[in-house]
Amino acid sequence: MTIHQFNPPHPGEFIREVYLEPLGLSANEASRKLKVHSSTFGRLIGGKSDVSAEMAVRLEAVFGRSAESWLAMQDHYDLAHTRPKLNLSGLEPVLFD
């Protein structure tokens, strides 16, 4: 099996580049729309915190992408950054007939 290396953006980076900057929306304005503390949103767009299920639902309501897509974006980011760090050489696959 070939694992393709790619570097998906953190959801916070995506929010900054696709929503905040083009719309001229400040982080404080966005946090008010999301009804979260500005520091919570600041950590997200700074890549310091992850998209939780609750935040995904809030992002869906405010920015329109589905909650599932926000969670998938977080999962893609996490997997891309976790795979290179793991040594799986000692693991044995379960074989199916």
Side-chain angles (χ1 to χ4, degrees):
M1 174 184 357
T2 303
I3 298 175
H4 300 283
Q5 296 291 327
F6 68 105
N7 191 19
H10 185 276
E13 179 183 350
F14 181 85
I15 292 167
R16 268 195 336 272
E17 293 179 2
V18 173
Y19 296 102
L20 301 187
E21 292 169 2
L23 297 173
L25 189 63
S26 75
N28 284 336
E29 290 172 304
S31 65
R32 280 194 296 277
K33 289 182 179 294
L34 290 162
K35 299 206 183 299
V36 297
H37 196 278
S38 59
S39 64
T40 300
F41 188 66
R43 285 191 303 275
L44 175 62
I45 63 171
K48 305 281 189 235
S49 66
D50 297 341
V51 172
S52 64
E54 179 183 330
M55 181 60 82
V57 172
R58 290 174 184 274
L59 291 168
E60 175 182 62
V62 172
F63 294 119
R65 294 174 59 100
S66 72
E68 292 83 0
S69 73
W70 290 109
L71 292 172
M73 188 182 300
Q74 184 66 58
D75 286 343
H76 287 258
Y77 176 83
D78 291 344
L79 286 169
H81 287 86
T82 299
R83 277 193 174 115
K85 298 176 187 175
L86 291 180
N87 177 356
L88 305 176
S89 61
L91 300 180
E92 294 181 32
V94 174
L95 302 178
F96 296 92
D97 293 331

